[in-house]
Structures are given as C-alpha cells and as structure tokens.
C-alpha cells in the first residue's frame, strides 16, 4: 500500500503532464467507459491528494476519485501511447504524454459534494496546507488505543503508512505501544512537524528517507541499506539488525494488521 507522499507525488505528476490541456480520456478495460466518455476532451484543471485518495479535477466541478488500494498502479509514458492492454482502467493521453491506471480499488466520477464527504471522513493530512493537527490530537488524546495503531487510522491522521509510523515514533523515542491518551501535546506537535518535513521530502525524492545526517551511511561508515523500498531508515524492515543509535536489536511485531518495527532501548515504555 503506497503511503501518502506517493499519492501527492502522483497528483503533481498528473498536473505536470496533463494540466491545462485537453486530454483524451478512455477506459480500455471498460469499467469506466461512460465516465471517460463524459470527460473526453476536457481539460485537467487541478489535481490533489488527501491521504491515500487522489482527485483529478476536470472543468469546474467534475472529479475522478482514485484510491489505489493494495494493487493499483499508475504508469506515465511519452506519446505516442502504445495500444493499451485491457487491464487499463483509465488512460489520459495528449500529444506529449500518456498515463495508465490499473487495478485501483476506486476510480469513480464524483461531484463536489461527494468529494467533500470524503474529505470530511478523513483525518488531517500532514501534506495538505489546510490540515489541522489539533483536530487529530483531540482524538489521539482521548484514545486508549496505541499510538502506533492511531497513526495508521486514516480517520485520525491520513497519509501515514507503515514506514512513516515506525520511523517517526523511533525519531521521537516513543514506545509504539503507548496509549494515545498518554501522549502530550508537545510530543504530538513534534511528531506532526516531523511528519510534515519527512513526507514533503518523500514527495520531492519519491522515496522515504528518515535517518538524520549523522546516521547516514557515509557519516557512520556503514554500507547503504539494500531493500526494494529504497531509502535510509532506522527501524522499518530492520528486524534483528542492530539499531543505528544504540546497537541493540530492532524488534518486530504485528500491530494494526501490519508489521511494526521498533527499538525497545531507544523507545522505552
Ligand atoms: Zn536503539
């Protein structure tokens, strides 16, 4: 499942290739054909993300709402577009570029009111300028649920996935099993500010790096991480490896249906 920075990056990439110009809109797979016909030839006016939801805006109030889910994929390419495979749910094409969407959980044409309803049920997104971290803290601070589970709850905070939750808790020395109600507002503010910075960098670089300069491979004289997720991290998928700070063993456990990673020494209860 992609994390929020990937979806914000996709919004930027859609706009860069298709913004302000009419697009040829099709659904080779056939599941989005009627909507594609309505949008064909319209201009992509804006694109935005909220958490893991992507919204492509056409004309004044038409939106394509996309959620990639576990299997959704987006591929950009240069024109001329090759003949599409029949797995392409949505293709946009113009005379310089094309982009194919395959396998999303959601790809639907919606109006402003429906879009607003989606925003209303999502928690604040650290990558959105309109985000209100205090709204998230009000819910966190009333909850007995662990902070590691709360960070993955899209109704409370949106866009944070398994990598950012593990890394941000490590960076602040917070035990992932602490209850939300035991988190101070100062701690929450620090987590939020850090997420804003880390996730913005994620959008820029299109990958997740979370280690501070002093813990980078060059600074520590260690080999760079080898993992298909790329990026330098402290704990994510580093189970049984030595912690970059204390040298102790990174641990893993199941939490909120995903593998949690943490250092029990640096993140004391
Ligand atoms: Zn440690």
């Amino acid at each position: 499942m992609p994390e929020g920075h990937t979806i914000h990056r996709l919004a930027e990439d859609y706009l860069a290739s298709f913004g302000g110009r009419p697009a040829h809109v099709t659904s080779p797979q056939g599941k989005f054909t009627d909507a594609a016909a309505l949008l064909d030839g319209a201009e992509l006016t804006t694109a935005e993300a909220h958490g893991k939801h992507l919204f492509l805006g056409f004309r004044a109030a038409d939106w394509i709402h996309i959620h990639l889910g576990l299997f959704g994929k987006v591929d950009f390419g240069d024109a001329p577009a090759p003949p599409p495979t029949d797995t392409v749910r949505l293709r946009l094409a113009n005379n310089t570029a094309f982009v194919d969407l395959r396998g999303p959980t959601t790809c639907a044409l919606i109006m402003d009111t429906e879009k607003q309803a989606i925003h209303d049920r999502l928690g604040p997104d650290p990558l959105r300028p309109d985000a209100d971290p205090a709204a998230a803290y009000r819910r966190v601070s009333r909850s007995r649920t662990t902070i590691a589970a709360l960070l993955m709850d899209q109704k409370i905070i949106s866009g944070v996935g398994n990598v950012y939750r593990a890394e941000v808790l490590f960076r602040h020395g917070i035990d992932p099993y602490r209850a939300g109600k035991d988190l101070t507002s100062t701690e929450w503010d620090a987590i939020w500010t850090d997420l804003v910075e880390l996730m913005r960098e994620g959008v820029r670089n299109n990958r997740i790096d979370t280690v501070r300069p002093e813990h980078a491979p060059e600074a520590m004289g260690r080999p760079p991480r080898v993992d298909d997720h790329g990026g330098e991290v402290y704990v994510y998928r580093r189970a049984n490896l030595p912690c970059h700070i204390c040298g102790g063993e990174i641990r893993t456990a199941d939490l909120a249906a995903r593998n949690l990673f943490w250092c029990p020494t640096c993140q004391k209860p």
Side-chain angles (χ1 to χ4, degrees):
M1 174 90 69
E3 308 215 5
H5 71 295
T6 304
I7 310 303
H8 281 264
R9 174 66 182 245
L10 283 177
E12 289 184 3
D13 291 347
Y14 266 98
L15 259 189
S17 293
F18 299 96
R21 289 188 286 167
H24 185 37
V25 183
T26 54
S27 179
Q29 185 191 38
K31 286 190 180 171
F32 192 64
T33 303
D34 292 350
L38 287 171
L39 295 171
D40 192 27
E43 216 172 78
L44 179 72
T45 48
T46 183
E48 61 174 279
H50 188 154
K52 298 172 184 178
H53 298 256
L54 174 65
F55 302 95
L56 305 178
F58 293 84
R59 304 191 188 100
D62 291 335
W63 298 90
I64 301 179
H65 169 218
I66 295 168
H67 192 291
L68 294 179
L70 277 178
F71 304 108
K73 271 198 70 181
V74 176
D75 296 297
F76 287 84
D78 294 329
T85 63
D86 59 10
T87 54
V88 176
R89 180 80 56 92
L90 170 68
R91 168 175 279 189
L92 304 190
N94 59 27
N95 49 17
T96 58
F98 73 95
V99 57
D100 287 343
L101 168 69
R102 290 182 177 84
T105 300
T106 305
C107 174
L109 179 60
I110 61 171
M111 304 291 122
D112 270 338
T113 46
E114 295 159 278
K115 176 170 177 280
Q116 190 54 50
I118 295 166
H119 291 302
D120 291 346
R121 64 180 162 80
L122 289 172
D125 174 344
L127 287 170
R128 286 180 67 90
D130 61 0
D132 175 15
Y137 185 65
R138 276 194 292 279
R139 303 187 66 169
V140 167
S141 63
R142 280 194 230 113
S143 178
R144 292 171 188 278
T145 303
T146 63
I147 185 60
L150 292 168
L151 284 174
M152 297 284 276
D153 184 341
Q154 303 295 304
K155 296 187 296 298
I156 291 179
I157 178 170
S158 57
V160 175
N162 206 20
V163 190
Y164 283 121
R165 78 148 169 191
E167 293 297 310
V168 81
L169 290 174
F170 178 90
R171 284 168 60 95
H172 294 272
I174 291 171
D175 174 14
Y177 289 96
R178 245 165 88 187
K181 65 182 178 55
D182 295 331
L183 216 71
T184 67
S185 63
T186 309
E187 284 171 325
W188 177 256
D189 290 344
I191 286 176
W192 179 274
T193 306
D194 208 21
L195 283 171
V196 171
E197 276 180 34
L198 290 173
M199 292 174 75
R200 278 189 188 153
E201 198 187 313
V203 175
R204 263 196 311 278
N205 301 337
N206 216 359
R207 65 176 219 176
I208 300 179
D209 289 285
T210 60
V211 301
R212 299 185 172 96
E214 63 268 34
H215 302 126
E218 317 81 68
M220 292 182 72
R222 62 177 173 85
R225 175 173 183 248
V226 180
D227 186 287
D228 59 14
H229 269 78
E232 284 294 331
V233 293
Y234 286 108
V235 291
Y236 180 69
R237 283 206 193 167
R238 294 197 67 247
N240 308 318
L241 293 171
C243 172
H244 292 326
I245 293 185
C246 73
E249 214 171 82
I250 302 299
R251 287 180 57 187
T252 186
D254 191 68
L255 201 149
R258 301 290 297 275
N259 288 328
L260 171 72
F261 300 88
W262 81 107
C263 171
T265 307
C266 295
Q267 298 168 264
K268 278 205 194 322

